[in-house]
Amino acid sequence: DPDVRALLVRINSAGGTVTASDVIFRELDLFKRSTGRPVVAVMLDVAASGGYYVALAADTIVAHPTSVTGSIRVLMVTLSAEGLMQKLGLSATTIKSAERKDMGSPFRPMTAEEGKIFQSVIDGLYEQFVAKLAESRGLPLETARKVADGRIYTAQQALTLKLIDRIGYMPDALEVAKRAIGVAEARVVVYRRPRE
């Protein structure tokens, strides 16, 4: 829509999968690059992990005074049901075409080698997150790594660490967007999913 001069993205998310976060980041980044229009992220209750990843695509990040953000890390959780199955007298049989095809199976213990493989994948995804953080926020890579230790931050802590640009409310974010496009008045159009 050529009438849309700026985009405000409200974020209220504790995160999600790496891929979902990256897809949204990429779409926002493509929007910015192809249109030249500013993007302002507005953090509500929570914009952590994947929620913060998405915010990194914005030109300006505004956090509500009570927002929680950060949680900059990647994790993988597995479940071991082997002991429970033994108690119930159940067993699983896996037929596989390759030695590692059932890595992470809840029906057997993970081997040390499999743990190393999973760790290398998680480490690689984490490095991508840190690189986006460093580039988007203009932080040295070592500073980005230091703040990306998985902890969460209050809005004030995030501002001090340069993870966000300002603390404010939705009207403040609207003012940021209006200043970015050089207007005093703007009509706000809210896009929602159908039936929401």
Side-chain angles (χ1 to χ4, degrees):
D1 184 344
D3 291 332
V4 173
R5 305 257 319 268
L7 178 64
L8 271 77
V9 180
R10 291 186 300 177
I11 301 173
N12 197 16
S13 172
T17 68
V18 174
T19 300
S21 304
D22 193 60
V23 166
I24 297 169
F25 175 96
R26 182 176 181 274
E27 290 300 321
L28 292 172
D29 192 54
L30 284 173
F31 173 83
K32 276 189 339 188
R33 292 175 192 270
S34 65
T35 66
R37 298 173 192 158
V39 174
V40 178
V42 184
M43 296 178 170
L44 300 177
D45 293 307
V46 179
S49 194
Y52 183 69
Y53 190 113
V54 168
L56 290 174
D59 298 297
T60 305
I61 302 174
V62 179
H64 189 275
T66 59
S67 292
V68 175
T69 190
S71 189
I72 304 166
R73 274 287 174 172
V74 179
L75 68 87
M76 175 186 144
V77 177
T78 62
L79 170 73
S80 174
E82 184 183 26
L84 175 63
M85 289 184 58
Q86 287 173 352
K87 285 183 180 180
L88 296 174
L90 301 172
S91 64
T93 302
T94 303
I95 300 167
K96 53 190 178 178
S97 59
E99 180 185 353
R100 306 233 188 276
K101 184 60 183 160
D102 66 338
M103 281 178 33
S105 169
F107 304 119
R108 65 171 182 79
M110 185 183 301
T111 68
E113 183 61 30
E114 290 168 346
K116 288 179 186 174
I117 293 168
F118 280 127
Q119 188 64 57
S120 71
V121 170
I122 296 301
D123 291 345
L125 294 172
Y126 168 72
E127 285 301 322
Q128 289 179 41
F129 198 163
V130 169
K132 278 196 173 36
L133 170 62
E135 181 182 349
S136 298
R137 301 305 302 164
L139 298 172
L141 200 51
E142 281 313 307
T143 302
R145 277 198 187 93
K146 187 175 179 182
V147 298
D149 66 357
R151 78 180 77 189
I152 57 172
Y153 299 104
T154 65
Q156 186 57 57
Q157 290 169 331
L159 183 63
T160 301
L161 294 168
K162 299 182 177 150
L163 298 178
I164 64 171
D165 296 295
R166 66 178 294 178
I167 296 171
Y169 296 88
M170 185 59 76
D172 300 311
L174 289 170
E175 286 303 317
V176 168
K178 288 192 287 188
R179 274 198 308 275
I181 59 174
V183 299
E185 293 296 321
R187 184 168 62 100
V188 178
V189 178
V190 179
Y191 294 91
R192 291 187 172 90
R193 289 188 177 101
R195 296 177 303 279
E196 192 175 82

